[in-house]
Amino acid sequence: MRVLNDIFTPAELASLRTDGPIPLYHQLYGLLKQRILSGVLARDAPLPTEAELSAGFRISRITAKRGMDLLASDGLIVRRRGRRSSVAYHPKGTEPDAPLVGMLARLAEMSRETKVKVLNIDLRLPPPNVAAELGTDAHEQVHHVVRVRFDQQGIPFAYYESWTRGIEHGFTAEAIEQRQRFDIMAENGHRISHIEQLLNAASASPLVAELLELHAGDPVLTLVRQSFDEDGLLIDLLNCQYHPDRFHYRMNLSAEEYLA
Amino acid sequence: MRVLNDIFTPAELASLRTDGPIPLYHQLYGLLKQRILSGVLARDAPLPTEAELSAGFRISRITAKRGMDLLASDGLIVRRRGRRSSVAYHPKGTEPDAPLVGMLARLAEMSRETKVKVLNIDLRLPPPNVAAELGTDAHEQVHHVVRVRFDQQGIPFAYYESWTRGIEHGFTAEAIEQRQRFDIMAENGHRISHIEQLLNAASASPLVAELLELHAGDPVLTLVRQSFDEDGLLIDLLNCQYHPDRFHYRMNLSAEEYLA
DNA sequence: CACTATTTGTCCGTATGTATG
DNA sequence: TCATACATACGGACAAATAGT
């Protein structure tokens, strides 16, 4: 059990639960997958045997085997009879990132480097909390757009859902896929002059998970962005969810900035 | 089915999967729970009936009922015979947050408002990947500190693990709990002049989960901060993990900043 | 007051998935 | 591979509480 104890702490070995909704074999799969994708277990690193997993996690050998089979079907490990399984995957280099400071200076660049697909666009009554934030009255409809962003290789990394008020024309799926939404807002008389953003983490819903090639419940980086025009009116409410392995936010601060 | 279509998009209604590891009733539970916790469904808002959920999501009424029963056992909704179920929960106000711009101007304030407890402090050889980032040679020891931050009510919301080089004196648990680490670094001849931060999401490890009162695998907001001194030397490597319900990052940008 | 439609609560039987030894 | 136990999911049926006519 030497290999096993090098990989997992005693607390982790006791962390599998049968009272929750996720099957044991899938919890084991998730633990090992995280180690491999994060590079803690490098390529060709030896993995625990089914017997070690069975004893260490206190599960049956069949259950341990199912978890390992999932990893093998992902191509993350190699299994052969009589041999200890080993890691077949090597984590990639860098993910796309969006700098937080001087951010919009890079948003244009980002929209050139990546592609957006609009999944749904309609004019509808927003849910009460969104209406309250936007300050629209009870029967005012706003533009609701759901879209996914792909990197240059066509791999999805971000899910967006936005609510936008005060738009009379030009808010079509085609326009949103090809231009920046801020330009369309400006053409409708709303120049964005102030932005507020909140960053947090959340669990992926089944829908977001499917679109971003994650599993439901996996962590996602979330961003809520409020965009205000020159009159201080909230024009646009954007909710983003990012694939954590494919995107992150970066910020640089110099002493002048943060000591000001 | 009026209520149901006000809450879910057609894509969401078709998003439940039986091929994944999460049971249908738990996927439904997750979807509704998110709507309630985020405030989309406000207190006393009418919920879909079991029959509506069954038809809309194309699941059996029993399965819809199980999802609703889970919400009821969480105290999030109220169910009574003959009556449509309704929301019983009202989302709380605000969590502590750290503004990203002008950030260090508020870090001092934050350290007054909150408390830190050092769990572990030692001088040790860093793991290879940390040593590579710091640029230390193979046998150079650095200060390693693990700590948890609590809000004014004594509720934990952040886990920190840091690696710091070039410190000769003053790096004790007491000093770190009472002062800012940047001040101690400055006293050792390393004035921090530049910071780089990466924000992302990850799964809580069992240790972090226990310290932050989460479950292992729950999403956490992560921050990696590299602090450089005036010579461009990386002095401090900090890894933070935040409880997503108790903390978030906020940033404000004005047009002058982001159009520069 | 009864009558009815609505909605949730409970139970049955069956098929499949999960986990054990 | 087998036998066993329990969880998940389905459809159907009926009972019990609620609200409106």
Side-chain angles (χ1 to χ4, degrees):
Chain A
M1 222 166 86
R2 211 192 54 76
V3 173
L4 189 66
N5 285 323
D6 288 346
I7 301 177
F8 297 108
T9 65
E12 283 171 320
L13 292 176
S15 71
L16 301 193
R17 322 236 111 258
T18 50
D19 46 0
I22 300 178
L24 286 178
Y25 72 91
H26 206 272
Q27 296 178 49
L28 175 65
Y29 162 71
L31 279 174
L32 284 163
K33 184 177 179 179
Q34 189 234 336
R35 292 295 192 288
I36 295 170
L37 292 183
S38 68
V40 173
L41 292 172
R43 181 181 213 108
D44 295 327
L47 289 165
T49 64
E50 291 175 7
E52 286 171 348
L53 291 169
S54 171
F57 283 102
R58 297 164 164 274
I59 56 180
S60 74
R61 196 178 74 92
I62 304 284
T63 304
K65 175 172 167 48
R66 281 195 70 175
M68 297 292 276
D69 285 345
L70 269 187
L71 291 169
S73 72
D74 284 353
L76 293 174
I77 68 171
V78 174
R79 322 197 67 199
R80 228 165 300 166
R81 237 186 286 237
R83 274 202 202 189
R84 195 176 272 276
S85 301
S86 63
V87 177
Y89 173 86
H90 184 66
K92 294 248 189 58
T94 54
E95 315 147 25
D97 65 13
L100 273 177
V101 174
M103 191 194 63
L104 282 229
R106 272 226 26 198
L107 272 195
E109 190 180 329
M110 175 114 154
S111 74
R112 277 197 305 275
E113 290 175 354
T114 63
K115 287 208 187 314
V116 164
K117 183 177 174 200
V118 172
L119 300 181
N120 185 271
I121 180 167
D122 55 7
L123 192 63
R124 68 153 79 175
L125 217 57
N129 63 330
V130 172
E133 283 205 68
L134 288 172
T136 56
D137 56 43
H139 48 275
E140 184 175 342
Q141 293 189 313
V142 300
H143 282 91
H144 172 243
V145 185
V146 176
R147 54 202 187 281
V148 175
R149 191 174 283 277
F150 301 84
D151 71 7
Q152 286 145 313
Q153 283 79 45
I155 297 169
F157 69 93
Y159 169 91
Y160 302 94
E161 184 169 3
S162 64
W163 302 88
T164 313
R165 68 183 300 187
I167 302 292
E168 301 292 332
H169 58 270
F171 226 63
T172 64
E174 297 72 34
I176 288 167
E177 288 180 354
Q178 283 157 27
R179 309 177 51 199
Q180 285 199 249
R181 289 189 317 129
F182 286 132
D183 293 338
I184 306 176
M185 294 178 208
E187 286 168 9
N188 282 268
H190 297 292
R191 277 176 45 91
I192 299 305
S193 74
H194 175 77
I195 283 177
E196 180 155 339
Q197 301 194 135
L198 293 179
L199 283 153
N200 209 338
S203 290
S205 68
L207 171 65
V208 170
E210 187 178 346
L211 293 170
L212 298 186
E213 298 172 351
L214 289 162
H215 297 285
D218 285 350
V220 287
L221 177 65
T222 67
L223 167 72
V224 175
R225 177 191 297 163
Q226 298 173 308
S227 301
F228 300 86
D229 71 3
E230 289 157 327
D231 301 325
L233 204 62
L234 178 58
I235 298 301
D236 186 67
L237 197 57
L238 174 68
N239 194 302
C240 313
Q241 307 203 36
Y242 296 104
H243 191 306
D245 297 335
R246 300 176 182 170
F247 187 85
H248 54 226
Y249 263 87
R250 173 205 301 276
M251 59 178 304
N252 291 287
L253 290 178
S254 62
E256 300 79 51
E257 291 176 85
Y258 66 75
L259 294 178
Chain B
M1 224 165 86
R2 210 191 55 74
V3 173
L4 188 67
N5 285 322
D6 288 345
I7 301 176
F8 296 109
T9 64
E12 283 170 322
L13 292 176
S15 72
L16 301 193
R17 321 236 112 260
T18 50
D19 47 1
I22 301 180
L24 286 178
Y25 73 90
H26 207 272
Q27 296 178 48
L28 174 65
Y29 162 70
L31 277 175
L32 284 163
K33 184 176 180 179
Q34 188 237 336
R35 292 294 193 288
I36 295 169
L37 293 183
S38 68
V40 172
L41 292 171
R43 182 179 212 109
D44 295 326
L47 290 164
T49 65
E50 293 174 2
E52 286 172 346
L53 291 169
S54 171
F57 283 101
R58 298 164 164 276
I59 56 180
S60 75
R61 192 178 76 95
I62 301 288
T63 304
K65 176 172 170 47
R66 279 196 71 175
M68 296 292 277
D69 285 344
L70 268 186
L71 291 169
S73 72
D74 284 351
L76 293 175
I77 69 171
V78 172
R79 324 198 62 199
R80 227 165 299 168
R81 276 182 188 163
R83 288 172 60 128
R84 198 176 269 273
S85 302
S86 62
V87 177
Y89 174 86
H90 185 65
K92 295 247 188 57
T94 54
E95 315 146 27
D97 63 16
L100 273 178
V101 175
M103 190 193 65
L104 284 227
R106 271 222 31 195
L107 271 195
E109 191 179 330
M110 176 113 155
S111 74
R112 278 197 304 277
E113 290 175 354
T114 63
K115 288 208 186 315
V116 165
K117 183 177 174 201
V118 172
L119 300 181
N120 185 269
I121 179 167
D122 55 8
L123 192 63
R124 68 154 81 170
L125 215 58
N129 59 332
V130 172
E133 283 206 70
L134 288 172
T136 56
D137 56 44
H139 50 274
E140 184 174 343
Q141 293 190 314
V142 300
H143 282 89
H144 173 242
V145 185
V146 176
R147 53 203 189 280
V148 174
R149 190 175 284 276
F150 300 84
D151 71 8
Q152 285 146 314
Q153 282 79 46
I155 297 170
F157 69 93
Y159 168 91
Y160 303 94
E161 183 169 3
S162 64
W163 303 87
T164 314
R165 68 183 300 186
I167 302 293
E168 300 293 331
H169 58 270
F171 226 62
T172 65
E174 298 71 35
I176 288 166
E177 288 179 356
Q178 283 156 29
R179 309 176 51 198
Q180 285 198 251
R181 288 187 319 128
F182 286 130
D183 293 338
I184 306 176
M185 294 179 208
E187 287 168 9
N188 280 269
H190 297 293
R191 278 177 44 90
I192 300 304
S193 75
H194 174 77
I195 283 177
E196 179 155 340
Q197 302 195 133
L198 292 180
L199 284 152
N200 209 338
S203 290
S205 69
L207 171 66
V208 170
E210 188 178 345
L211 293 170
L212 298 186
E213 299 172 350
L214 289 163
H215 297 286
D218 284 351
V220 287
L221 178 66
T222 66
L223 169 72
V224 175
R225 178 192 295 162
Q226 297 173 308
S227 301
F228 299 87
D229 72 3
E230 289 156 328
D231 302 324
L233 205 62
L234 177 58
I235 298 301
D236 186 69
L237 197 57
L238 175 67
N239 193 302
C240 312
Q241 308 205 35
Y242 296 104
H243 191 307
D245 299 335
R246 300 176 181 169
F247 186 85
H248 55 227
Y249 263 88
R250 174 204 302 274
M251 59 177 305
N252 291 286
L253 290 179
S254 62
E256 299 80 52
E257 290 177 87
Y258 63 76
L259 293 179

